[in-house]
Amino acid sequence: MCGRYAQSRNVHQLQLAFDLPEQALGEESDPRAWPPLEELDPDYNISPGRPVQAVFGPPPQGGAPGAAGPRSLHTLRWGLVPSWAKDRNIGYRMINARGETVADKPAFRSAFRHRRCLLPADAYYEWQLLNKDGTAEASTSPATDPGHRKRKAKAAKKPFSIHYQGDEPLAMAGIFERWRDPEVAEDDPAAWVWSCAVITTEAAPELAHIHERMPVIMPADDWAAWLDPASGPDDLSHLLDSTPVERFSVDEVSTDVNSIKNNRPDLLEPLPDGGGEEADTLF
């Protein structure tokens, strides 16, 4: 899974990193048709429900002639709210979409076909389950280990930060959706919630000792194909298998990251001796 991540770049830095044109901030666009762009404070411990930045492909043409527009940056809510949902809080349960089933699940399939995005990150966090003696627990899947979920809730956990070896931002594969709050007037901007989910996949062997899942990370060479609305099922399936794990660095970090109340740059700093105190619960 991907349940926390860090993103500290401002709008200008993200535009440079993703080769995006400059955009005006605020409610310059109709929120019913396209999400706005807001400047966000650096967030070193992003949790579900928080606002996040997302890179979109060309906007819908609506049948209009001419070349497609450029990529753009937008501000979304992390936790996808399907268009048919009755309550926006369902998004807290939909922060991730499994790559193996995203094309078929009713909550995700339409977004996967038509509304894909990239979610920039400095790093994402993952927690390794520990045995009672402090050693790492063997990585298992809930599908093959019925007691995994209950044991996970009670177990001690060791947090890690996973990022590129250099200063390049990760580009997590995402999908996005638009939802209208039926209790708010349609012409009120607050009626429209634009939300997203991170696509995950089975962890690569290099990371499986930490967790059985990982987010799909798109290398720069694949950004255009991922954001292209014309990309078909076969193309997308291939892209979901292209995470450049060989470029990752993995650092054990302080258990301060366990609490969403902590939000500081040093949460990303590796522990000096590669070890730390026993972790508390995740949330």
Side-chain angles (χ1 to χ4, degrees), residues 239-260:
L239 293 173
L240 292 177
D241 293 328
S242 62
T243 296
V245 179
E246 69 281 356
R247 296 181 54 204
F248 287 177
S249 286
V250 180
D251 298 320
E252 183 181 348
V253 295
S254 168
T255 55
D256 284 354
V257 76
N258 292 3
S259 171
I260 59 175

Side-chain angles (χ1 to χ4, degrees), residues 175-200:
I175 53 176
F176 67 96
E177 190 59 271
R178 182 188 69 167
W179 177 81
R180 183 197 163 195
D181 189 334
E183 298 184 0
V184 180
E186 184 175 352
D187 59 355
D188 185 338
W192 303 93
V193 177
W194 291 83
S195 59
C196 61
V198 175
I199 298 181
T200 67

Side-chain angles (χ1 to χ4, degrees), residues 9 11-12 17 52 80 86 88 91 102 108 115 120 122 125 141 155 180 206 235 242 257 267 274 280 283:
R9 289 171 171 83
V11 164
H12 180 65
V52 298
L80 191 135
K86 295 181 179 180
R88 71 179 67 198
V102 67
F108 303 129
R115 292 176 292 280
D122 298 348
Y125 299 109
S141 166
R180 183 197 163 195
E206 298 91 331
D235 298 320
S242 62
V257 76
L267 294 180
D280 299 323
F283 288 99

Side-chain angles (χ1 to χ4, degrees), residues 1-215:
M1 66 171 290
C2 176
R4 302 274 190 81
Y5 69 97
Q7 204 299 104
S8 64
R9 289 171 171 83
N10 61 31
V11 164
H12 180 65
Q13 290 169 324
L14 289 173
Q15 288 169 341
L16 290 176
F18 287 87
D19 194 22
L20 304 174
E22 292 189 7
Q23 296 168 239
L25 298 175
E27 303 287 345
E28 76 286 349
S29 60
D30 183 347
R32 294 170 292 184
W34 211 232
L37 172 61
E38 303 169 14
E39 186 73 81
L40 302 178
D41 292 332
D43 197 335
Y44 300 94
N45 202 355
I46 300 173
S47 58
R50 295 283 296 161
V52 298
Q53 306 291 30
V55 177
F56 283 15
Q61 288 290 88
R71 300 175 194 166
S72 52
L73 191 66
H74 300 273
T75 306
L76 309 178
R77 180 182 187 265
W78 186 21
L80 191 135
V81 183
S83 60
W84 43 259
K86 295 181 179 180
D87 187 336
R88 71 179 67 198
N89 288 331
I90 193 174
Y92 287 102
R93 305 198 304 273
M94 296 190 177
I95 62 170
N96 295 156
R98 295 175 68 93
E100 298 88 341
T101 58
V102 67
D104 303 312
K105 288 285 187 180
F108 303 129
R109 62 191 179 196
S110 178
F112 181 65
R113 291 172 190 163
H114 306 293
R115 292 176 292 280
R116 297 181 298 276
C117 62
L118 298 171
L119 300 169
D122 298 348
Y124 74 91
Y125 299 109
E126 198 52 84
W127 280 258
Q128 181 185 61
L129 299 187
L130 301 178
N131 295 309
K132 292 181 178 180
D133 61 1
T135 59
E137 180 179 301
S139 180
T140 59
S141 166
T144 58
D145 181 2
H148 175 88
R149 195 174 300 276
K150 182 182 293 186
R151 191 168 62 254
K152 179 179 178 180
K154 297 181 179 180
K157 304 174 183 71
K158 183 186 294 185
F160 290 85
S161 163
I162 301 164
H163 54 93
Y164 279 139
Q165 295 166 6
D167 191 41
E168 180 184 352
L170 300 176
M172 299 188 293
I175 53 176
F176 67 96
E177 190 59 271
R178 182 188 69 167
W179 177 81
R180 183 197 163 195
D181 189 334
E183 298 184 0
V184 180
E186 184 175 352
D187 59 355
D188 185 338
W192 303 93
V193 177
W194 291 83
S195 59
C196 61
V198 175
I199 298 181
T200 67
T201 188
E202 182 178 354
E206 298 91 331
L207 300 175
H209 66 289
I210 298 176
H211 197 275
E212 72 273 7
R213 305 288 296 175
M214 68 177 188

